[in-house]
Amino acid sequence: MTEMKNQYSGNKGSGRVELEQMILDNASRLRVPSGRTAEEALTLLKARIARGEAVFSGEKDFQIVDWVSSIAAGLLLLLAIWQIGFNPSRDRIVAQKGSHEEYRLPDGSDVSLNADSRISFNNRNFNNNRHVSLDGEAFFNVIKGSDFIVSTPAGDVKVLGTSFNVYARENSFRVSCLTGKILVSAQDQSVIITPGESVKLADKKLISYTDTDLSLATRWIDGEFVFENMALNLVFDEIERQFNVNFACRNFNDKFFTGSFSNKDLRIALEIVCIPMGLKYEIGSNGEIFVTENPD
Amino acid sequence: MAGISQVEFDRVFMAWYNPLRNFIYYKTGDMETAEDIVQDTFLKVWERREKINVVTVKSLLYTIANNLFLNRLEHEKVSFKFISEQDTNNFSNAPDFELEMKDFDRRLQDSLAELDGRNREVFLMNRIDDMTYAQIAENLGLSVKAVEKRMSKALAFLKERLDVKI
């Protein structure tokens, strides 16, 4: 110890070298204080990107931007209306009630559309701007490439990897990830989900959960509809979509169904749902379905 | 070929997030500021990813981060804090020496704070991030000679400060 001290506090040349070495060695052992990890930072960044945040280069720009931006916003709105309503290069794929559609997008990605669902996208320059609007339910198998975004009225899904299911009907929004990694955003919240995970919107909150069996979420592609403790009215909605029929009246708000039906045969589907629920059904001459409580 | 893909962007992020954050930390001494600046830096790169070449993205990252740092209005002096990973095994049976090393470390950190910012960042990029002079030169858009100069200035200053009786 004394030896070392003498070496670097001395005025001899060798002492200076020793001191230099000590400085270099000690500095090499320094570490910056811990902050967030690179992974955490990347997740944060992705969320900011998904929210569409932009960085402004200088604070001074803001004042001018204030009134300019309101005009720009108006122009953007016009442009958006044009894009959605009148743009001739916009393609629309619709699966009517009672039918499913398989479609290959211009980039080679596949979409399976469930009954009563529609997608639209800009077919011009699609490979560079992979943006699909969805209303209904669809399964996507996405080819690797630039960002792939699915917009729904309730929220957006951005693909960081490959295949996923989106359910966006009325107020429900559910997304299940089968392979790869996806970023789901809605109501100013963002969640990254990985295979086996799903996320749903409940009370304006994005909640991620693990499906007991994720293959159930996409069974509809093969025409099988699986429900677990699902409001009976929503099950009837699905029957209406799959067989293009109408239920005359239904006020079963307090009933929940667990089970599955296939879209091959309407009568079998109705029996599967009605019998365990203590209901009976009749198909009217006009195709309307009447469901009533079974007195037995 | 211009443009970087999502996958490339993620890879660049994972490879350069820490060195870049450290770089800004060496300038500001404030971890939160450093994290904010690096977030904004990558967001800017993301926005321009179609025009960016993956080969030059590194020096672009440093340039943007440096500009964002310069744009910050407040540049108040902060005391630098580092964590020292002392190899205590080497002198576990010499408590005096350990104490002395701790003192040396404290004085080293104080001196680093007083060091000219441009010399400090080069010195710490070399010491903490293990970058060679050539790598530092490439990242900061300097010549290797300029890096050597800053490095030796930093060393000279530190030696001056630390060469006093303990």
Side-chain angles (χ1 to χ4, degrees):
Chain A
M1 164 208 125
T2 4
E3 211 175 69
M4 175 70 84
K5 189 165 146 189
N6 288 340
Q7 270 175 343
Y8 70 82
S9 53
N11 288 324
K12 278 174 266 165
S14 67
R16 296 287 291 183
V17 172
E18 206 60 52
L19 173 63
E20 185 170 308
Q21 202 50 53
M22 257 191 97
I23 290 170
L24 291 173
D25 288 351
N26 277 273
S28 298
R29 282 196 289 268
L30 295 180
R31 295 293 171 264
V32 300
S34 58
R36 51 173 89 92
T37 64
E39 285 88 355
E40 286 163 353
L42 184 59
T43 308
L44 186 72
L45 182 76
K46 294 264 159 98
R48 290 182 67 190
I49 291 168
R51 282 201 300 271
E53 271 185 47
V55 261
F56 293 92
S57 35
E59 281 87 8
K60 287 182 211 105
D61 303 343
F62 276 110
Q63 280 84 28
I64 322 156
V65 160
D66 234 21
W67 65 270
V68 171
S69 68
S70 48
I71 298 172
L75 286 173
L76 270 177
L77 187 67
L78 281 176
L79 189 72
I81 291 168
W82 179 76
Q83 285 266 339
I84 295 162
F86 312 106
N87 191 341
S89 61
R90 218 171 159 80
D91 272 6
R92 229 172 121 81
I93 311 297
V94 179
Q96 303 288 358
K97 282 189 179 179
S99 72
H100 290 194
E101 291 293 334
E102 303 277 331
Y103 186 78
R104 178 155 289 174
L105 291 161
D107 67 330
S109 299
D110 289 320
V111 190
S112 301
L113 274 178
N114 200 344
D116 190 19
S117 302
R118 54 210 59 80
I119 55 166
S120 68
F121 55 91
N122 199 335
N123 63 13
R124 207 188 286 160
N125 204 18
F126 184 82
N127 285 352
N128 293 323
N129 179 22
R130 305 200 293 172
H131 194 151
V132 176
S133 301
L134 164 74
D135 181 22
E137 182 167 17
F139 178 80
F140 293 88
N141 199 343
V142 176
I143 296 270
K144 279 198 172 146
S146 61
D147 290 351
F148 191 100
I149 299 164
V150 179
S151 299
T152 80
D156 295 344
V157 185
K158 181 164 181 177
V159 184
L160 314 171
T162 40
S163 69
F164 59 98
N165 193 64
V166 185
Y167 181 98
R169 294 187 190 277
E170 284 152 38
N171 298 321
S172 302
F173 181 53
R174 290 197 306 270
V175 182
S176 306
C177 178
L178 278 90
T179 60
K181 216 178 189 186
I182 56 178
L183 178 68
V184 183
S185 6
Q187 304 281 346
D188 284 339
Q189 301 154 62
S190 291
V191 177
I192 290 182
I193 55 172
T194 50
E197 289 180 323
S198 296
V199 63
K200 65 179 172 188
L201 196 58
D203 294 331
K204 302 197 165 185
K205 283 203 180 72
L206 267 183
I207 299 163
S208 54
Y209 59 99
T210 313
D211 269 314
T212 40
D213 182 1
L214 199 62
S215 66
L216 298 184
T218 56
R219 203 70 74 75
W220 65 264
I221 296 166
D222 303 319
E224 200 176 337
F225 295 81
V226 188
F227 302 93
E228 209 184 301
N229 213 17
M230 179 68 80
L232 190 59
N233 284 335
L234 293 178
V235 178
F236 285 159
D237 281 349
E238 197 66 66
I239 291 179
E240 286 185 338
R241 283 193 289 267
Q242 297 309 318
F243 298 100
N244 194 14
V245 292
N246 269 310
F247 284 86
C249 63
R250 45 192 166 99
N251 41 351
F252 306 110
N253 290 321
D254 53 341
K255 283 190 156 49
F256 295 87
F257 175 74
T258 298
S260 68
F261 70 81
S262 145
N263 66 356
K264 304 289 179 287
D265 188 303
L266 175 62
R267 285 183 180 275
I268 294 174
L270 285 169
E271 272 164 27
I272 284 173
V273 177
C274 290
I275 292 170
M277 293 274 101
L279 302 167
K280 62 175 187 179
Y281 70 92
E282 264 175 68
I283 302 178
S285 51
N286 55 357
E288 257 194 331
I289 299 166
F290 299 89
V291 179
T292 50
E293 296 271 354
N294 196 343
D296 306 334
Chain B
M1 202 182 69
I4 54 172
S5 68
Q6 166 106 42
V7 179
E8 280 168 332
F9 178 86
D10 287 5
R11 206 172 45 227
V12 168
F13 188 99
M14 293 310 287
W16 289 96
Y17 178 81
N18 282 333
L20 213 56
R21 183 205 53 198
N22 290 1
F23 169 63
I24 298 298
Y25 183 78
Y26 304 151
K27 289 168 173 293
T28 62
D30 183 65
M31 190 40 94
E32 259 180 61
T33 305
E35 287 181 333
D36 284 356
I37 287 178
V38 176
Q39 276 278 325
D40 287 351
T41 302
F42 276 102
L43 198 51
K44 269 181 182 269
V45 167
W46 173 262
E47 284 166 357
R48 302 179 200 169
R49 69 192 179 283
E50 264 131 47
K51 295 169 204 130
I52 286 169
N53 188 326
V54 76
V55 184
T56 55
V57 69
K58 241 182 346 186
S59 43
L60 186 73
L61 283 168
Y62 277 92
T63 308
I64 294 175
N66 194 36
N67 287 343
L68 288 174
F69 159 75
L70 293 172
N71 284 348
R72 292 242 163 181
L73 298 170
E74 0 74 73
H75 281 212
E76 74 267 42
K77 271 256 183 241
V78 232
S79 66
F80 280 80
K81 283 196 182 64
F82 291 98
I83 297 154
S84 182
E85 286 188 344
Q86 288 290 7
D87 191 4
T88 40
N89 292 340
N90 272 354
F91 34 80
S92 50
N93 43 14
D96 276 9
F97 185 75
E98 201 180 327
L99 212 71
E100 205 168 290
M101 286 302 276
K102 270 198 177 131
D103 184 60
F104 184 84
D105 211 71
R106 185 184 52 75
R107 291 194 299 128
L108 173 65
Q109 294 199 28
D110 290 348
S111 310
L112 280 171
E114 289 164 40
L115 189 57
D116 178 86
R118 296 183 314 157
N119 299 337
R120 177 175 56 230
E121 69 199 32
V122 165
F123 179 77
L124 292 178
M125 282 164 96
N126 172 257
R127 291 289 96 197
I128 297 180
D129 300 305
D130 283 329
M131 289 184 195
T132 64
Y133 293 179
Q135 284 168 336
I136 297 169
E138 194 195 336
N139 295 336
L140 301 188
L142 298 169
S143 67
V144 176
K145 263 236 139 34
V147 173
E148 278 171 5
K149 220 170 185 175
R150 289 190 188 185
M151 194 70 196
S152 64
K153 271 187 183 167
L155 252 178
F157 178 87
L158 293 173
K159 278 197 282 192
E160 186 68 39
R161 282 301 164 110
L162 292 164
D163 191 21
V164 278
K165 54 243 141 272
I166 295 173

